[in-house]
Amino acid sequence: MAKYLGPVCKLCRREGEKLFLKGERCFTSKCAFEKRSFAPGMHGKSGSRSRSATGRESDFARQLRAKQKARRVYGTMERQFRRYYEFASKRRGLTGVNLLQLLETRLDNVIFRLGFASSRAQARLLSTHGHFTVN
């Protein structure tokens, strides 16, 4: 199971909101989003040049940001997220709701929701190290 090993505070800044990827640190004033609430990179402060002349995002841009946000919150890579989407689309009902149900029932997310870990990354570490077993 792969995971993102780069700077996670950049991910919050790219999405434009706190994703609480660092656990307790995100609730303090040390959070990178509190210090620099603009997007990372060379063009972060000046704003996005990819927007249209009216200043609005396209439908594709909004959908992509929503997908990337979900991927980053749950800590999945693109290929794994696509497989979850395929499973969700094959089930009955709304695909978006099914996808969120699949992501919420992952063991690392359940550990995080129960409060045994301060972040999903820490919960993932606890589950892969065998601290929790499923009957």
Side-chain angles (χ1 to χ4, degrees):
M1 206 158 46
K3 65 179 179 176
Y4 179 72
L5 296 175
V8 292
C9 289
K10 269 189 186 180
L11 303 180
C12 293
R13 291 174 54 207
R14 172 55 59 199
E15 296 305 325
E17 61 184 271
K18 284 188 178 188
L19 301 179
F20 301 99
L21 300 175
K22 285 244 180 176
E24 296 296 323
R25 184 182 175 102
C26 292
F27 294 105
T28 66
S29 61
K30 289 183 176 181
C31 180
F33 192 77
E34 294 291 327
K35 293 178 182 177
R36 296 177 240 143
S37 60
F38 50 88
M42 184 188 302
H43 305 291
K45 274 190 177 177
S46 61
S48 177
R49 294 256 184 218
S50 63
R51 292 187 196 161
S52 61
T54 59
R56 291 183 298 168
E57 284 184 325
S58 66
D59 289 338
F60 176 76
R62 278 190 281 113
Q63 288 174 355
L64 179 66
R65 288 273 57 94
K67 181 198 70 130
Q68 294 290 72
K69 180 181 170 185
R71 270 190 53 222
R72 289 168 176 168
V73 165
Y74 290 104
T76 60
M77 301 300 268
E78 179 65 28
R79 190 166 190 168
Q80 188 179 17
F81 195 79
R82 278 190 187 176
R83 289 199 62 207
Y84 278 122
Y85 178 78
E86 288 173 12
F87 289 142
S89 63
K90 289 177 184 174
R91 284 181 163 185
R92 283 190 195 176
L94 298 173
T95 305
V97 173
N98 292 340
L99 178 63
L100 286 177
Q101 284 176 351
L102 285 171
L103 290 170
E104 284 288 329
T105 55
R106 285 170 37 130
L107 181 60
D108 58 349
N109 192 66
V110 171
I111 292 169
F112 170 71
R113 292 282 186 202
L114 287 172
F116 292 122
S118 61
S119 68
R120 284 184 177 87
Q122 186 181 16
R124 189 172 188 172
L125 198 66
L126 290 172
S127 67
T128 56
H129 282 196
H131 294 289
F132 294 90
T133 55
V134 179
N135 188 353

